[in-house]
Each structure stands twice: as structure tokens, then as C-alpha cells.
Amino acid sequence: MALTMNDVDRFEASRSRLEAIAYRLLGSASEAEDAVQETFLRWQAADVGHIEVPEAWLTKVLTNLCLNQLTSARARRETYVGQWLPEPLLAGDPMLGPADTAEQRESVSYAVLALLERLSPNERAVYVLREAFDYPHREIAAILDLTEAASQQIFHRAKKHVADGKARTEIDEVAARRIIDEFLAAATSGRTEPLVRLLTQDAIAIGDGGGKVPARAKAFEGAVAVATFLRGLFKPSKAKRALVGGSPEAYATSANGDPALVAVLGGRVIGVMCLEITAEGIAGFRSQVNPDKLERATRRWAAADHGEPLLKAF
């Protein structure tokens, strides 16, 4: 049955919300877009005149598509080269979704998205729908074909798993820029001591190259190991310039609500490093350098003015 313009408009009114849900569930903007497009095709094929609550119907279809995708994605990630990290979203990207509450902002942070990989697909879905979009458990139960009590139990279990990570500290734009400046000054000093002072003792550094860009398969752990790695990373060398094809420019911004450094070469984003900030210091560096996961970031970057770079790396 052909859709009317009103039917199409009803779907488009939900698109941004659906994309934000799918991104949190899948950790991939491109896969989120595909899931939303498949949801539209299901909407197109349905007898929409008999769908009483389009938002609920669309959310149920999308969520179940994402759950199927998560199951197959887990199998693929078992053979993924090196560490797997989500696709970063730069400041202002509408796919970041709602950011009115601390819980909503935290739910899309890079550190939390990485933690969500530990959850089962159902745990992840319940956590995202409840924490980020404030769905009542009655509606979540209907979406996932659970009882309301089961939804509540799953949510408490998922929230505990996520809370076992470090407590994220929310900071404003001025504080974020100060932290980035302090970090860059320490990282380019040529010494490990200034970096160690900025880090928590159990700091980690993780990179995702997807087998296409060199990235260590195992995370660096501990302040000294992370500081040593970062000192080497920011040390200029001909080999690094040859590897990336020049000297990238580094900019301060935010990604997934976290302070971030973006490396840009010839207008193309070649790396995004997200900093995890806690009250004790910088607890994590998660760097996405897989070019397949930076295409959206490059498009977003090209559409905005970012001022002067902080430095030329390498």
C-alpha cells in the first residue's frame, strides 16, 4: 500500500529519535542509518492506517532490527583486528540525541558506549531506552516482549554493569579546553612526568585501527605506560608523516560529549581521541583511527568552522 505524504511526514518526524536510539544500540552511525532506513521500508509495507501509535510501532521495529544486528555484530567483532571502539560523533551531530539530563549525556559518552559492549543485546536495549530516552518500563516491556518486572530487573543489572566503570565528571566547554591545553603541553614536552601527573593511576589508552591503520591490539594500562605511549605518539618523526601522508593538524573539540582532539589532514578527519575525565584526573584515551568509522566525522567537520589548529602533529 502506497504511503501518503502524511505517512511519510509521520515517519520523518521520528527519524532523528530513531537514529539516536539506533546509534546508542549499535555504536555505529552508518549501521544506525541502515537500521532506520530498513524501519522505513517496514513502515512503507505496513498498513499504517491501522497503526494506532506510530512512535511505539516504529521504536519496536527499529529496536528489534538493532537487536538482530547486535547478535551478528558480536560474531563479526570476534574476528575484528585489534580493539573495537564505537564510531565517534562530533559536537552538534543530531545523532547524539537528547542531552537534557546528566543521564542522557552520559549514555552517549564514548566511555559508556564502550562499556555497553559488555552487555547482552537485551540489557543494552533496556538501558538505552530507559536511561537515554526515558521510556517507562511498561513500554519497554512491550517493545521487547518482556514482562514489566523483567524490564526493571534487566535495567538494574545493566545499570550496575555500567556503573562499575569510573564515575564520569561533567565539565563545561571552558574547563574542557583547559584540560586539552594542559594535556597537549604535557604530551609535547618530551617527558613522561607532566603526563603522569594528569592521569589517574589506572588510566588506559585504547586505539581502533580496524586493521587499516596501525593501532596496538592491547590497551595500554597504568599511568606510566599510558604516559610513555602518549609521549611517543606526539613525538615528531618522518616515519609518522610518511605513514599518514603529511603533518596533520590537531584541533580541540568534543566528541560524544567528551573533550576530544581531532586530527585533520587535507580536510579529512584521520583520528579522533576522546578523553575520559574523572575527579581524579584523565582516566582514559580512546582513539578512533579506522577510516571507515571517520567518514561521518569528516562530513561534519567540513560543514563547520573550527578556527586555528592547536598544533601540527608529527
Side-chain angles (χ1 to χ4, degrees):
M1 187 175 180
L3 294 180
T4 66
M5 284 304 299
N6 183 55
D7 296 330
V8 173
D9 289 343
R10 284 198 292 173
F11 180 86
E12 290 303 325
S14 293
R15 181 181 289 275
S16 294
R17 179 181 55 83
L18 295 173
E19 287 187 345
I21 291 173
Y23 171 71
R24 282 171 166 83
L25 289 176
L26 300 173
S28 165
S30 58
E31 290 179 7
E33 289 174 335
D34 290 345
V36 172
Q37 183 59 27
E38 180 61 29
T39 302
F40 175 74
L41 295 177
R42 302 286 180 94
W43 174 253
Q44 190 175 39
D47 186 356
V48 298
H50 288 85
I51 296 175
E52 294 182 3
V53 187
E55 179 180 314
W57 188 93
L58 292 169
T59 304
K60 183 180 179 71
V61 170
L62 173 83
T63 301
N64 283 284
L65 285 170
C66 289
L67 289 179
N68 292 336
Q69 180 76 359
L70 277 174
T71 301
S72 61
R74 283 174 183 266
R76 291 198 308 273
R77 287 169 195 171
E78 289 178 2
T79 59
Y80 192 82
V81 179
Q83 299 279 340
W84 185 93
L85 288 174
E87 181 176 346
L89 298 182
L90 300 184
D93 194 313
M95 199 176 280
L96 288 168
D100 297 327
T101 68
E103 290 79 12
Q104 289 173 335
R105 292 188 291 273
E106 183 175 46
S107 71
V108 79
S109 73
Y110 216 50
V112 167
L113 285 180
L115 285 172
L116 292 184
E117 288 295 303
R118 303 177 184 177
L119 305 183
S120 70
N122 261 12
E123 286 174 335
R124 187 164 183 161
V126 171
Y127 179 85
V128 165
L129 291 172
R130 179 63 182 160
E131 192 80 344
F133 295 89
D134 202 28
Y135 276 80
H137 284 290
R138 175 178 49 80
E139 292 184 23
I140 295 173
I143 289 169
L144 298 175
D145 295 322
L146 303 167
T147 65
E148 189 171 344
S151 176
Q152 291 170 337
Q153 291 172 354
I154 290 171
F155 175 70
H156 290 307
R157 187 166 64 242
K159 193 165 185 177
K160 183 180 183 304
H161 286 318
V162 174
D164 284 341
K166 294 181 180 66
R168 179 173 175 261
T169 299
E170 287 208 63
I171 57 175
D172 59 27
E173 188 174 337
V174 173
R177 178 56 187 267
R178 175 179 54 77
I179 289 170
I180 290 287
D181 288 342
E182 289 178 359
F183 165 65
L184 278 180
T188 56
S189 69
R191 298 181 294 124
T192 59
E193 294 82 1
L195 277 165
V196 170
R197 287 195 292 270
L198 294 177
L199 309 180
T200 62
Q201 285 304 303
D202 58 351
I204 62 168
I206 303 172
D208 178 351
K212 300 187 175 185
V213 174
R216 180 180 162 96
K218 186 178 179 182
F220 291 93
E221 299 182 2
V224 174
V226 171
T228 302
F229 159 69
L230 292 170
R231 182 192 63 189
L233 179 66
F234 282 87
K235 184 178 181 180
S237 76
K238 290 182 179 179
K240 290 176 190 171
R241 289 192 291 273
L243 179 66
V244 301
S247 295
E249 297 175 331
Y251 294 82
T253 185
S254 69
N256 294 73
D258 295 320
L261 277 173
V262 174
V264 181
L265 183 64
R268 180 170 55 91
V269 174
I270 64 169
V272 177
M273 175 185 281
C274 293
L275 280 62
E276 180 185 357
I277 309 299
T278 70
E280 291 75 36
I282 305 175
F285 299 85
R286 292 176 175 84
S287 301
Q288 185 56 260
V289 292
N290 182 345
D292 293 343
K293 298 183 182 182
L294 295 172
E295 293 178 359
R296 185 181 179 94
T298 293
R299 293 196 301 271
R300 293 288 306 175
W301 190 262
D305 178 27
H306 304 282
E308 294 298 315
L310 299 179
L311 59 83
K312 273 188 174 289
F314 312 153

